[in-house]
Amino acid sequence: MWKQAGVGLTLVALTGACLPRTQPRDPFAAGSETAEPEVVSPEFNETRADLDAAIQKATEGYAPGDKLSGKLDGFAPHEIPVSRGTCYVGALVLDDGAAFGDHARKGATVESTLPGGLKTAHTEAIHGPGAVFDLGCPEAAGNATVDLIAVYGSAMDTSQIHELGKGGYTLQIYGKSIGEADLVALKARERALAEQQAEERRAFAEQERQRDEQRARDRAELSAAPAARAGGADGSGSQGPQVVSVSLRSRCGKTVKVFFGKEPKFGSGTTSSIGGNSVQNHSFKPGDMVWLVDDSGNGIASATASPGMREIEITSSCTGLASR
């Protein structure tokens, strides 16, 4: 029997967030002409003590229930029996001698699906040699699915999502009862949050559409322009407007916001985001600006596209931009 949760129970609402938004194939593949240091997402640097502390905090007031086991090599998603009126937390701990592999350490997450199809990406689940995640409080009985996924490059190729490492692990499920009135109120808050996030995703998609249209117009303008337009009065034959193809690379371990335009927050432009330790490819005109912005849209750092530029990097401090 799970412990009864009172009205004052603090619950973590399921966000339904999905990640990553846009990530290419691994740019650090063997044989690259420009070999770079191996990417390791910061959460994998946490210790067993950090993991134990995270589990203790997340499971306070919960009682242990089902305990499962498996292996990272040959990983298969787990089916967890759940019921209405109970809230669940999961804790995955690697066995002694087990370890996440290089590919997984570039970025991994836990994904869960509750009865009824509600899917959640637990983007902050990983803590060094394991993970802890809030499964939430299902509205109906059935089976919840728990999956562990290597997300790096998965937007373009899903063949490596279970390339996780070697060795065994245990998956402990914890539960706590919740009263019917509290459950109804919780689900109402979750639905409101889901609607808000859906609206934000629609707005982001519209911004991306407008950016794509602007790029298409820019390309058409460059293609249609007569060669003589850039020749100048002296007839030197200098080139016309250029397109600068730039890789926007994040060394930051979390998702950050960026702004494409002259003046963030108040000027015209497009606000977007980039996931931790990921790469996006963009096309700019010389003079176009890229800003790193805070959650309020205020500019933190900027870089200006110029001929010959190949890369703009968000530094590991998450507060600076470097270009080359």
Side-chain angles (χ1 to χ4, degrees), residues 88-151:
Y88 299 89
V89 168
L92 185 148
V93 180
L94 299 191
D95 296 343
D96 291 340
F100 288 109
D102 290 343
H103 181 67
R105 286 166 59 83
K106 294 175 184 177
T109 190
V110 174
E111 286 190 357
S112 66
T113 305
L114 291 179
L118 179 60
K119 188 173 185 178
T120 303
H122 305 275
T123 59
E124 298 182 357
I126 301 296
H127 294 274
V132 58
F133 50 95
D134 182 5
L135 274 169
C137 313
E139 292 188 271
N143 286 331
T145 302
V146 174
D147 200 357
L148 179 60
I149 293 175
V151 298

Side-chain angles (χ1 to χ4, degrees), residues 105-267:
R105 286 166 59 83
K106 294 175 184 177
T109 190
V110 174
E111 286 190 357
S112 66
T113 305
L114 291 179
L118 179 60
K119 188 173 185 178
T120 303
H122 305 275
T123 59
E124 298 182 357
I126 301 296
H127 294 274
V132 58
F133 50 95
D134 182 5
L135 274 169
C137 313
E139 292 188 271
N143 286 331
T145 302
V146 174
D147 200 357
L148 179 60
I149 293 175
V151 298
Y152 193 89
S154 61
M156 301 296 292
D157 181 0
T158 60
S159 65
Q160 293 181 288
I161 62 172
H162 287 149
E163 189 176 309
L164 299 169
K166 292 186 180 298
Y169 63 85
T170 59
L171 174 58
Q172 176 71 62
I173 304 299
Y174 299 82
K176 177 166 59 176
S177 297
I178 181 173
E180 184 64 23
D182 290 336
L183 178 60
V184 171
L186 172 65
K187 292 304 173 181
R189 293 194 297 271
E190 288 179 356
R191 281 190 286 270
L193 179 61
E195 291 173 0
Q196 175 185 339
Q197 292 173 336
E199 180 58 34
E200 291 174 352
R201 287 194 294 271
R202 285 192 290 269
F204 177 79
E206 175 61 20
Q207 289 179 337
E208 290 295 293
R209 185 190 65 80
Q210 292 177 4
R211 285 185 61 201
D212 289 342
E213 289 183 351
Q214 183 60 51
R215 289 174 180 170
R217 287 194 292 268
D218 291 343
R219 286 194 294 269
E221 178 183 340
L222 291 173
S223 298
R229 185 174 69 176
D234 61 357
S236 61
S238 60
Q239 294 183 353
Q242 302 177 32
V243 174
V244 183
S245 297
V246 175
S247 294
L248 178 60
R249 184 186 305 276
S250 178
R251 300 291 186 187
C252 173
K254 63 181 181 181
T255 298
V256 294
K257 293 184 178 180
V258 292
F259 177 82
F260 302 96
K262 293 292 184 183
E263 185 179 359
K265 195 168 184 177
F266 301 109

